[in-house]
Amino acid sequence: MTTTLAGTRTRTPDIISFPPAGEARSHSAPRVAPGPNGIETIPMPHTLLTAQALEKTYRKGQHKVPVLRGVEVAIRRGEFLSIIGQSGSGKSTLLHLLGLLDVPDIGEIHFEGQRIDDLSAKVRDELRNRAFGFIFQFYHLMPELTVLENVLMPMMIRDSFFKYQRNKRRYDEQAREILSKVRLDHRLKHRPTELSGGEMQRAAIARALVAKPQVLLADEPTGNLDSQTGGEIMELLLNLNQQDGLTIVMVTHDLAIARQAHRTVKLDQGRIQSQNEVVTSAG
Ligand code: ADP
Ligand code: MG
């Protein structure tokens, strides 16, 4: 058992509350109360997304590889959380579960107070498209499409052909607006191969945000970039968090990148390790 400024706790310190973006960090801000089994919970209004007792095992041939073994994490609205851990520790797996790209074997995901991991595939797809944006280490842009077309993809996927045609002008404006925000307005007609790494990631960020998601899930977003370009991407993410209140969950193995978030937790041995929580400097 460890004692912190927030009180005495037995487990899941990763749900210690933090002030929303823009507010000064304060150790007196929202109190954490022990819940059932001594597990602390933060009041629901502050919590946007939680993982509860998540377990995920992969099979490799005959072997079972347990990856997540009881992950508990709660992400507050407006928070910028980073999750660190060694390669293979399950960071991507956790991010995919949080964003409904995959389902846990055991455990639950809750979003805005509702359980979401057990939704039908169709409802899950709709919710994912509406509520979550993803960015990845290798951008995953479509090479044959222009930057503008890549950014419009989530709308094309979401709508029927006719609905998309009807709304195309508005979507086009939305896409141009977000591309301007990530400073890519001069690259609308370029294809990904004509862009630098930093520009590709900015295009991917624009694509992730065009449908105005509530949470951005970022998987090693600077992992393929030099440190200066990675720093620029981090600056952009921090701005989106601080100015627009975008909730961000970022996984990385790079502590220097991670500690720019509000809060860092470590995934180790299939769990969020309480003793390794690192209070970081943003906000
Ligand atoms: P990280 O992102 O921290 O590097 P991952 O979540 O990608 O870790 O992977 C964790 C472990 O799960 C690794 O051992 C990886 O090989 C394994 N794994 C991930 N995805 C699959 C899959 N689809 N099938 C089988 N094993 C997988
Ligand atoms: Mg990974």
Side-chain angles (χ1 to χ4, degrees):
M1 191 149 86
T2 54
T3 304
T4 71
L5 287 167
T8 303
R9 53 192 155 110
T10 53
R11 277 183 68 197
T12 56
D14 50 294
I15 57 177
I16 280 190
S17 50
F18 275 76
E23 278 181 30
R25 186 183 305 286
S26 158
H27 285 294
S28 63
R31 290 180 62 81
V32 181
N37 312 319
I39 298 174
E40 291 166 354
T41 54
I42 51 179
M44 277 317 288
H46 298 291
T47 309
L48 184 60
L49 184 62
T50 62
Q52 300 174 9
L54 280 196
E55 296 186 22
K56 184 76 180 175
T57 295
Y58 289 113
R59 272 172 202 286
K60 276 188 184 155
Q62 307 239 318
H63 300 284
K64 285 184 177 175
V65 184
V67 178
L68 304 181
R69 306 199 284 187
V71 166
E72 302 271 350
V73 68
I75 297 127
R76 295 189 62 199
R77 200 180 291 278
E79 183 175 31
F80 190 159
L81 174 74
S82 58
I83 300 172
I84 54 168
Q86 292 185 337
S87 180
S89 59
K91 302 183 297 299
S92 296
T93 301
L94 174 57
L95 211 65
H96 294 170
L97 295 182
L98 286 171
L100 302 178
L101 284 173
D102 201 354
V103 287
D105 299 330
I106 297 176
E108 300 181 5
I109 312 281
H110 290 236
F111 178 67
E112 294 189 311
Q114 306 260 343
R115 185 170 178 189
I116 59 168
D117 60 281
D118 61 348
L119 298 170
S120 71
K122 183 167 180 289
V123 177
R124 236 189 10 244
D125 289 348
E126 283 165 10
L127 179 62
R128 184 193 314 114
N129 191 287
R130 181 170 61 74
F132 299 102
F134 289 88
I135 55 172
F136 305 93
Q137 179 175 1
F138 296 107
Y139 328 121
H140 296 323
L141 297 168
M142 309 270 275
E144 66 275 23
L145 300 183
T146 65
V147 166
L148 184 60
E149 289 163 348
N150 264 286
V151 172
L152 286 166
M153 270 312 274
M155 306 314 211
M156 288 187 207
I157 292 168
R158 188 172 72 178
D159 286 1
S160 68
F161 176 78
F162 292 109
K163 187 172 176 203
Y164 182 78
Q165 291 306 321
R166 252 198 328 274
N167 290 319
K168 187 162 186 332
R169 185 179 297 238
R170 182 163 56 86
Y171 292 160
D172 223 70
E173 273 168 27
Q174 258 171 256
R176 285 169 191 269
E177 196 180 310
I178 186 75
L179 278 162
S180 158
K181 192 166 200 159
V182 301
R183 291 182 293 107
L184 275 185
D185 16 17
H186 57 309
R187 294 278 186 266
L188 301 183
K189 297 283 152 67
H190 286 61
R191 291 183 204 282
T193 49
E194 299 164 333
L195 304 179
S196 69
E199 286 175 329
M200 281 195 268
Q201 194 58 294
R202 297 212 307 267
I205 290 169
R207 180 185 55 188
L209 299 183
V210 72
K212 305 193 191 306
Q214 299 199 54
V215 186
L216 179 68
L217 299 169
D219 194 348
E220 308 264 7
T222 64
N224 197 39
L225 302 173
D226 62 73
S227 63
Q228 189 188 327
T229 312
E232 286 163 17
I233 293 297
M234 277 307 293
E235 208 171 296
L236 176 57
L237 295 180
L238 285 162
N239 273 338
L240 290 165
N241 170 254
Q242 282 161 10
Q243 288 169 13
D244 302 348
L246 180 67
T247 306
I248 301 179
V249 184
M250 174 181 74
V251 306
T252 176
H253 63 271
D254 184 337
L255 191 56
I257 291 289
R259 58 161 50 110
Q260 295 178 54
H262 291 140
R263 179 166 68 113
T264 301
V265 293
K266 183 171 183 180
L267 189 56
D268 190 21
Q269 315 280 337
R271 293 197 182 88
I272 298 288
Q273 296 297 317
S274 51
Q275 67 273 25
N276 288 316
E277 181 179 357
V278 187
V279 175
T280 52
S281 62

